[in-house]
Amino acid sequence: MKRREQAVEEGMGVQRVSRRSRGEGLSVQAAGRLRPLLESFLASTDTGARMGFDPVEFPHRYAHPRDIEVSALLAASLAYGRADLFRPKVDALLRRMGASPAAFVQELKVAGARELLEGFVYRFNVGTDVAVLLLGMGQALRELGSLEALFVRGREAHGTVHGALSHFTATLREVPMAPLRRALGPERGLHHLLPSPLGAGAAKRLNLYLRWMVRGPDTVDFGIWKQVPASALVIPLDTHIGRISQHLGLTRRTDLSWRTAEEVTASLRLLDAADPVRYDFALCHYGMSGVCPAQPVVGNCAKCLLLPACAVGPRLVRRSSSSQP
């Protein structure tokens, strides 16, 4: 894999879809036209049918807030690549961690990490990488009582979500590395798992984790972090959200950067200032399911509830109609 392609996969850099990257978000007038379409689209989404394709299914196994936040961060951190490949890895780890992931990480030592993670490999990550995450979570729970408290401390210190996330990951990585390396070998993709410094990338998986913890509660998100308002969240930007956001005029930027994520979020705040990322699950799965693919399908476009606001679909539908005998 080329260095640039690997950086994209690892979320370490900024993916360039084309050379144009100058941004411009949604106008107030366009927001007024888009809002009812998105509301109908959201209401039509079969959330239950998509839950099995989303890593949020894992924290839904638990009831206690600490177990939810620990299992959720593990699941979100490993949720890259194909779902059918990362889901078995997350499932196996959580099953071995027992009924309470929070209690497990609070009691975890290097020997236990070796027992759990020896031989673990998932794409860019090896057991040492995951051990840092688990030991870091345990340390945060022992010292602060929750992962929420760690994030809030960073937000108070830095004032932004980006700064808070950078503080969050840096603190989780503050575990002694020498004993881990002796027990499990060298780390390999630790920056991918816990990026520090956060950099210019969109930090999709970390923002996904925040969405789960902060907004809601509803059938998808938990709303267990009460000290962070949903209005502060940033969209978990990936290729699906990026493409659909361009179609809907939420941004004209074509890179998957933090700046683009902020611009898309700013457009969504015109639709719902208090809860701008509430459309994320539905829109992301619209792309993931193949209904709105990278190469548009005319038949799908013709039936799409968002067609009147789309910059791509109407042209394809008109072209297809005019070519019919």
Side-chain angles (χ1 to χ4, degrees), residues 293-315:
Q295 296 298 321
V297 177
V298 174
N300 293 357
C301 292
K303 296 181 289 186
C304 180
L305 293 175
L306 301 174
L307 183 65
C310 184
V312 176
R315 293 199 304 270

PDB file of all heavy atoms in Angstrom, residues 293-315:
ATOM      1  N   PRO A 293     -24.392   5.119  -3.547  1.00  0.00           N
ATOM      2  CA  PRO A 293     -22.978   4.756  -3.713  1.00  0.00           C
ATOM      3  C   PRO A 293     -22.172   5.873  -4.350  1.00  0.00           C
ATOM      4  O   PRO A 293     -22.706   6.912  -4.756  1.00  0.00           O
ATOM      5  CB  PRO A 293     -23.057   3.544  -4.649  1.00  0.00           C
ATOM      6  CG  PRO A 293     -24.268   3.827  -5.499  1.00  0.00           C
ATOM      7  CD  PRO A 293     -25.238   4.563  -4.605  1.00  0.00           C
ATOM      8  N   ALA A 294     -20.877   5.630  -4.459  1.00  0.00           N
ATOM      9  CA  ALA A 294     -19.997   6.624  -5.075  1.00  0.00           C
ATOM     10  C   ALA A 294     -20.382   6.896  -6.525  1.00  0.00           C
ATOM     11  O   ALA A 294     -20.302   8.022  -7.005  1.00  0.00           O
ATOM     12  CB  ALA A 294     -18.548   6.156  -4.989  1.00  0.00           C
ATOM     13  N   GLN A 295     -20.793   5.853  -7.231  1.00  0.00           N
ATOM     14  CA  GLN A 295     -21.319   6.006  -8.578  1.00  0.00           C
ATOM     15  C   GLN A 295     -22.833   5.895  -8.504  1.00  0.00           C
ATOM     16  O   GLN A 295     -23.371   4.811  -8.300  1.00  0.00           O
ATOM     17  CB  GLN A 295     -20.756   4.927  -9.512  1.00  0.00           C
ATOM     18  CG  GLN A 295     -19.261   5.006  -9.718  1.00  0.00           C
ATOM     19  CD  GLN A 295     -18.837   6.310 -10.371  1.00  0.00           C
ATOM     20  OE1 GLN A 295     -19.514   6.820 -11.271  1.00  0.00           O
ATOM     21  NE2 GLN A 295     -17.724   6.865  -9.909  1.00  0.00           N
ATOM     22  N   PRO A 296     -23.557   7.019  -8.621  1.00  0.00           N
ATOM     23  CA  PRO A 296     -25.007   7.008  -8.396  1.00  0.00           C
ATOM     24  C   PRO A 296     -25.747   6.041  -9.310  1.00  0.00           C
ATOM     25  O   PRO A 296     -25.363   5.827 -10.463  1.00  0.00           O
ATOM     26  CB  PRO A 296     -25.411   8.460  -8.690  1.00  0.00           C
ATOM     27  CG  PRO A 296     -24.171   9.255  -8.497  1.00  0.00           C
ATOM     28  CD  PRO A 296     -23.047   8.370  -8.918  1.00  0.00           C
ATOM     29  N   VAL A 297     -26.798   5.456  -8.771  1.00  0.00           N
ATOM     30  CA  VAL A 297     -27.662   4.535  -9.499  1.00  0.00           C
ATOM     31  C   VAL A 297     -28.964   5.266  -9.794  1.00  0.00           C
ATOM     32  O   VAL A 297     -29.652   5.706  -8.863  1.00  0.00           O
ATOM     33  CB  VAL A 297     -27.925   3.259  -8.677  1.00  0.00           C
ATOM     34  CG1 VAL A 297     -28.889   2.336  -9.423  1.00  0.00           C
ATOM     35  CG2 VAL A 297     -26.617   2.548  -8.357  1.00  0.00           C
ATOM     36  N   VAL A 298     -29.319   5.404 -11.062  1.00  0.00           N
ATOM     37  CA  VAL A 298     -30.458   6.230 -11.456  1.00  0.00           C
ATOM     38  C   VAL A 298     -31.736   5.794 -10.763  1.00  0.00           C
ATOM     39  O   VAL A 298     -32.504   6.613 -10.258  1.00  0.00           O
ATOM     40  CB  VAL A 298     -30.632   6.210 -12.982  1.00  0.00           C
ATOM     41  CG1 VAL A 298     -31.905   6.957 -13.387  1.00  0.00           C
ATOM     42  CG2 VAL A 298     -29.437   6.834 -13.665  1.00  0.00           C
ATOM     43  N   GLY A 299     -31.960   4.475 -10.705  1.00  0.00           N
ATOM     44  CA  GLY A 299     -33.181   3.981 -10.075  1.00  0.00           C
ATOM     45  C   GLY A 299     -33.269   4.343  -8.610  1.00  0.00           C
ATOM     46  O   GLY A 299     -34.344   4.669  -8.102  1.00  0.00           O
ATOM     47  N   ASN A 300     -32.142   4.303  -7.921  1.00  0.00           N
ATOM     48  CA  ASN A 300     -32.113   4.698  -6.513  1.00  0.00           C
ATOM     49  C   ASN A 300     -32.358   6.192  -6.364  1.00  0.00           C
ATOM     50  O   ASN A 300     -33.087   6.630  -5.467  1.00  0.00           O
ATOM     51  CB  ASN A 300     -30.770   4.334  -5.889  1.00  0.00           C
ATOM     52  CG  ASN A 300     -30.554   2.838  -5.795  1.00  0.00           C
ATOM     53  OD1 ASN A 300     -31.427   2.052  -6.139  1.00  0.00           O
ATOM     54  ND2 ASN A 300     -29.378   2.439  -5.350  1.00  0.00           N
ATOM     55  N   CYS A 301     -31.708   6.983  -7.232  1.00  0.00           N
ATOM     56  CA  CYS A 301     -31.882   8.440  -7.169  1.00  0.00           C
ATOM     57  C   CYS A 301     -33.340   8.827  -7.364  1.00  0.00           C
ATOM     58  O   CYS A 301     -33.857   9.726  -6.688  1.00  0.00           O
ATOM     59  CB  CYS A 301     -31.025   9.126  -8.226  1.00  0.00           C
ATOM     60  SG  CYS A 301     -29.245   9.013  -7.943  1.00  0.00           S
ATOM     61  N   ALA A 302     -34.019   8.164  -8.286  1.00  0.00           N
ATOM     62  CA  ALA A 302     -35.403   8.518  -8.602  1.00  0.00           C
ATOM     63  C   ALA A 302     -36.326   8.326  -7.412  1.00  0.00           C
ATOM     64  O   ALA A 302     -37.345   9.025  -7.289  1.00  0.00           O
ATOM     65  CB  ALA A 302     -35.894   7.695  -9.788  1.00  0.00           C
ATOM     66  N   LYS A 303     -35.972   7.390  -6.500  1.00  0.00           N
ATOM     67  CA  LYS A 303     -36.820   7.098  -5.343  1.00  0.00           C
ATOM     68  C   LYS A 303     -36.353   7.806  -4.071  1.00  0.00           C
ATOM     69  O   LYS A 303     -37.004   7.670  -3.029  1.00  0.00           O
ATOM     70  CB  LYS A 303     -36.842   5.588  -5.101  1.00  0.00           C
ATOM     71  CG  LYS A 303     -37.458   4.779  -6.233  1.00  0.00           C
ATOM     72  CD  LYS A 303     -37.479   3.294  -5.921  1.00  0.00           C
ATOM     73  CE  LYS A 303     -36.083   2.705  -5.968  1.00  0.00           C
ATOM     74  NZ  LYS A 303     -36.088   1.219  -5.796  1.00  0.00           N
ATOM     75  N   CYS A 304     -35.259   8.562  -4.162  1.00  0.00           N
ATOM     76  CA  CYS A 304     -34.648   9.140  -2.957  1.00  0.00           C
ATOM     77  C   CYS A 304     -35.458  10.320  -2.438  1.00  0.00           C
ATOM     78  O   CYS A 304     -35.800  11.244  -3.197  1.00  0.00           O
ATOM     79  CB  CYS A 304     -33.225   9.590  -3.274  1.00  0.00           C
ATOM     80  SG  CYS A 304     -32.373  10.323  -1.859  1.00  0.00           S
ATOM     81  N   LEU A 305     -35.745  10.339  -1.151  1.00  0.00           N
ATOM     82  CA  LEU A 305     -36.491  11.436  -0.534  1.00  0.00           C
ATOM     83  C   LEU A 305     -35.700  12.739  -0.551  1.00  0.00           C
ATOM     84  O   LEU A 305     -36.281  13.824  -0.436  1.00  0.00           O
ATOM     85  CB  LEU A 305     -36.845  11.070   0.910  1.00  0.00           C
ATOM     86  CG  LEU A 305     -37.831   9.917   1.101  1.00  0.00           C
ATOM     87  CD1 LEU A 305     -37.986   9.593   2.585  1.00  0.00           C
ATOM     88  CD2 LEU A 305     -39.174  10.247   0.491  1.00  0.00           C
ATOM     89  N   LEU A 306     -34.394  12.642  -0.703  1.00  0.00           N
ATOM     90  CA  LEU A 306     -33.540  13.831  -0.714  1.00  0.00           C
ATOM     91  C   LEU A 306     -33.281  14.360  -2.119  1.00  0.00           C
ATOM     92  O   LEU A 306     -32.557  15.340  -2.284  1.00  0.00           O
ATOM     93  CB  LEU A 306     -32.202  13.508  -0.035  1.00  0.00           C
ATOM     94  CG  LEU A 306     -32.293  13.040   1.426  1.00  0.00           C
ATOM     95  CD1 LEU A 306     -30.914  12.622   1.935  1.00  0.00           C
ATOM     96  CD2 LEU A 306     -32.877  14.119   2.314  1.00  0.00           C
ATOM     97  N   LEU A 307     -33.869  13.746  -3.120  1.00  0.00           N
ATOM     98  CA  LEU A 307     -33.613  14.115  -4.504  1.00  0.00           C
ATOM     99  C   LEU A 307     -33.805  15.605  -4.793  1.00  0.00           C
ATOM    100  O   LEU A 307     -32.971  16.203  -5.487  1.00  0.00           O
ATOM    101  CB  LEU A 307     -34.490  13.276  -5.444  1.00  0.00           C
ATOM    102  CG  LEU A 307     -34.284  13.508  -6.943  1.00  0.00           C
ATOM    103  CD1 LEU A 307     -32.881  13.075  -7.365  1.00  0.00           C
ATOM    104  CD2 LEU A 307     -35.345  12.744  -7.751  1.00  0.00           C
ATOM    105  N   PRO A 308     -34.867  16.259  -4.283  1.00  0.00           N
ATOM    106  CA  PRO A 308     -35.042  17.684  -4.614  1.00  0.00           C
ATOM    107  C   PRO A 308     -33.897  18.580  -4.144  1.00  0.00           C
ATOM    108  O   PRO A 308     -33.707  19.674  -4.686  1.00  0.00           O
ATOM    109  CB  PRO A 308     -36.342  18.048  -3.881  1.00  0.00           C
ATOM    110  CG  PRO A 308     -37.080  16.764  -3.760  1.00  0.00           C
ATOM    111  CD  PRO A 308     -36.019  15.732  -3.544  1.00  0.00           C
ATOM    112  N   ALA A 309     -33.119  18.120  -3.161  1.00  0.00           N
ATOM    113  CA  ALA A 309     -32.013  18.934  -2.645  1.00  0.00           C
ATOM    114  C   ALA A 309     -30.657  18.464  -3.154  1.00  0.00           C
ATOM    115  O   ALA A 309     -29.632  19.059  -2.812  1.00  0.00           O
ATOM    116  CB  ALA A 309     -32.013  18.907  -1.120  1.00  0.00           C
ATOM    117  N   CYS A 310     -30.631  17.415  -3.972  1.00  0.00           N
ATOM    118  CA  CYS A 310     -29.382  16.792  -4.395  1.00  0.00           C
ATOM    119  C   CYS A 310     -28.805  17.510  -5.615  1.00  0.00           C
ATOM    120  O   CYS A 310     -29.533  17.903  -6.529  1.00  0.00           O
ATOM    121  CB  CYS A 310     -29.619  15.322  -4.715  1.00  0.00           C
ATOM    122  SG  CYS A 310     -28.115  14.417  -5.139  1.00  0.00           S
ATOM    123  N   ALA A 311     -27.499  17.654  -5.634  1.00  0.00           N
ATOM    124  CA  ALA A 311     -26.821  18.310  -6.749  1.00  0.00           C
ATOM    125  C   ALA A 311     -26.500  17.343  -7.883  1.00  0.00           C
ATOM    126  O   ALA A 311     -26.084  17.780  -8.955  1.00  0.00           O
ATOM    127  CB  ALA A 311     -25.531  18.962  -6.261  1.00  0.00           C
ATOM    128  N   VAL A 312     -26.684  16.049  -7.664  1.00  0.00           N
ATOM    129  CA  VAL A 312     -26.280  15.047  -8.644  1.00  0.00           C
ATOM    130  C   VAL A 312     -27.472  14.280  -9.204  1.00  0.00           C
ATOM    131  O   VAL A 312     -27.631  14.143 -10.423  1.00  0.00           O
ATOM    132  CB  VAL A 312     -25.269  14.058  -8.021  1.00  0.00           C
ATOM    133  CG1 VAL A 312     -24.918  12.950  -9.001  1.00  0.00           C
ATOM    134  CG2 VAL A 312     -24.015  14.800  -7.583  1.00  0.00           C
ATOM    135  N   GLY A 313     -28.336  13.776  -8.329  1.00  0.00           N
ATOM    136  CA  GLY A 313     -29.412  12.882  -8.732  1.00  0.00           C
ATOM    137  C   GLY A 313     -30.362  13.433  -9.787  1.00  0.00           C
ATOM    138  O   GLY A 313     -30.679  12.734 -10.762  1.00  0.00           O
ATOM    139  N   PRO A 314     -30.865  14.660  -9.637  1.00  0.00           N
ATOM    140  CA  PRO A 314     -31.840  15.163 -10.619  1.00  0.00           C
ATOM    141  C   PRO A 314     -31.332  15.147 -12.053  1.00  0.00           C
ATOM    142  O   PRO A 314     -32.075  14.821 -12.981  1.00  0.00           O
ATOM    143  CB  PRO A 314     -32.108  16.589 -10.135  1.00  0.00           C
ATOM    144  CG  PRO A 314     -31.864  16.533  -8.665  1.00  0.00           C
ATOM    145  CD  PRO A 314     -30.708  15.589  -8.515  1.00  0.00           C
ATOM    146  N   ARG A 315     -30.063  15.484 -12.269  1.00  0.00           N
ATOM    147  CA  ARG A 315     -29.512  15.467 -13.626  1.00  0.00           C
ATOM    148  C   ARG A 315     -29.518  14.059 -14.200  1.00  0.00           C
ATOM    149  O   ARG A 315     -29.850  13.851 -15.371  1.00  0.00           O
ATOM    150  CB  ARG A 315     -28.079  16.011 -13.619  1.00  0.00           C
ATOM    151  CG  ARG A 315     -27.962  17.483 -13.291  1.00  0.00           C
ATOM    152  CD  ARG A 315     -26.612  18.039 -13.745  1.00  0.00           C
ATOM    153  NE  ARG A 315     -25.490  17.317 -13.184  1.00  0.00           N
ATOM    154  CZ  ARG A 315     -24.901  17.618 -12.032  1.00  0.00           C
ATOM    155  NH1 ARG A 315     -25.349  18.624 -11.297  1.00  0.00           N
ATOM    156  NH2 ARG A 315     -23.870  16.916 -11.597  1.00  0.00           N
TER     157      ARG A 315
END
